[in-house]
Amino acid sequence: MIDITTALVRTLIADQFPQWSDLPVSPVDRQGWDNRTFRLGDRLTVRLPSAEGYVAAVAKEDRCLPVLAEHLSLPVPGPVAVGRPAAGYPFPWAVRRWLPGATVEASPDLDRVRLTRDLGAFLRELRAAPAQHGPAAGRHSYFRGCHPSAYGDQVEQALQRLGDVVDVAACQAVWAEALTSVWASAPTWFHGDVAVGNLLVDDGALSAVIDFGTSGVGDPACDLVIAWNYFTGEERQLFRESVGLDDDAWRRARGWALWKALICVADSAGSDPDGAQARVLAEVLDDPVVV
């Protein structure tokens, strides 16, 4: 991972976009893993990939976000400019329009029931957007939008490591159900990372969706994982009703949630330090959402 500092961002801006060189630069409060994000004045944001594996998302978002924005009622980040490698930073980087709002996880006045409906409506709109020119799911989306079996080897390896920690038979049953169907309709847009840090809230309601770096066209089941890693039992049912996808999609979604929870809990490097994914795993095993 590259050390991306405020000083570096100021240097890049001054060198390549001198018209913005007098604007203040400050890191956002919540940083993601794929990119480092900085405020540039009041209306812009600068996003810099943190490693080579995330670079492809810069061009993808530049191409896809304007198209999606025409078909979505909620704002998404608008591309403004693309910077080139310089000052020791080796990758292209992006300037986007700043979208106001706090993330879901930082919103004390959030109406969670309303969120289930608003997010479901957004995902329906996203699936309805024209998909013929969107990027087919694959390596660029970390196989989100593909069949969950793409990560079958990781599930098996995690269960081998966790044999004395988790209910292996129950996990295998959930995974087997996830593998018994495929997305049989035309490929649709998916976001790929519907998470609390990528959903913005204003006045207690969903106001924008950000970070489309993992987006693409394929099976939208991957976008339902938030049902287990954020919503509770009754909220899950409301979210299920608002999303409008069938039982098979939810079984694949449950498989996606199982995969992520297992690999984090099994990771010897400690990718679940606060036990959040262990709690998600318990939710996944306890609540299939479908009857």
Side-chain angles (χ1 to χ4, degrees):
M1 306 296 284
I2 299 171
D3 185 21
I4 302 172
T5 65
T6 301
L8 171 63
V9 176
R10 287 197 185 104
T11 299
L12 291 170
I13 292 294
D15 177 52
Q16 300 181 37
F17 303 106
Q19 70 272 31
W20 299 324
S21 60
D22 61 338
L23 297 178
V25 175
S26 59
V28 301
D29 291 337
R30 184 193 186 280
Q31 292 288 350
W33 181 259
D34 299 1
N35 297 271
R36 298 294 176 265
T37 305
F38 296 77
R39 289 288 302 270
L40 177 61
D42 294 329
R43 299 183 179 182
L44 299 173
T45 179
V46 181
R47 283 169 58 78
L48 303 95
S50 60
E52 187 172 5
Y54 309 122
V55 171
V58 174
K60 178 171 66 174
E61 285 191 325
D62 253 31
R63 184 176 69 254
C64 297
L65 284 171
V67 174
L68 290 174
E70 295 180 1
H71 301 277
L72 299 172
S73 57
L74 287 176
V76 296
V80 176
V82 174
R84 65 181 183 277
Y89 179 74
F91 309 131
W93 46 283
V95 181
R96 305 267 188 256
R97 300 196 187 284
W98 175 261
L99 294 173
T103 60
V104 161
E105 60 189 348
S107 300
D109 61 343
L110 176 66
D111 183 337
R112 292 173 61 103
V113 170
R114 181 173 179 180
L115 179 64
T116 66
R117 297 170 182 148
D118 289 349
L119 181 56
F122 171 82
L123 293 176
R124 287 200 308 272
E125 288 183 348
L126 183 62
R127 296 201 309 270
Q132 61 267 31
H133 301 303
R139 189 174 298 277
H140 71 93
S141 64
Y142 301 94
F143 302 103
R144 285 3 178 246
C146 298
H147 197 266
S149 59
Y151 285 117
D153 57 339
Q154 293 187 6
V155 170
E156 291 179 7
Q157 291 165 9
L159 288 176
Q160 289 173 4
R161 295 192 194 108
L162 297 171
D164 297 327
V165 178
V166 303
D167 186 336
V168 172
C171 290
Q172 289 173 331
V174 171
W175 188 244
E177 281 202 342
L179 303 188
T180 57
S181 68
V182 297
W183 180 248
S185 301
T188 73
W189 277 100
F190 60 87
H191 180 279
D193 192 13
V194 178
V196 292
N198 293 330
L199 305 175
L200 300 186
V201 173
D202 190 24
D203 249 355
L206 185 63
S207 61
V209 179
I210 61 175
D211 197 349
F212 284 72
T214 317
S215 65
V217 170
D219 176 2
C222 60
D223 280 346
L224 308 181
V225 171
I226 194 172
W228 293 276
N229 65 24
Y230 178 72
F231 292 127
T232 61
E234 183 177 349
E235 294 164 354
R236 280 185 207 115
Q237 290 300 327
L238 293 172
F239 180 51
R240 169 178 160 70
E241 293 167 9
S242 68
V243 164
L245 286 171
D246 64 16
D247 287 355
D248 282 339
W250 280 95
R251 293 185 182 102
R252 294 192 303 277
R254 196 179 179 207
W256 278 110
L258 177 81
W259 159 73
K260 184 61 177 289
L262 284 175
I263 63 170
C264 289
V265 173
D267 183 10
S268 59
S271 56
D272 189 31
D274 59 358
Q277 288 296 332
R279 291 189 291 274
V280 172
L281 180 59
E283 296 289 337
V284 167
L285 295 179
D286 184 58
D287 188 355
V289 180
V290 299
V291 177

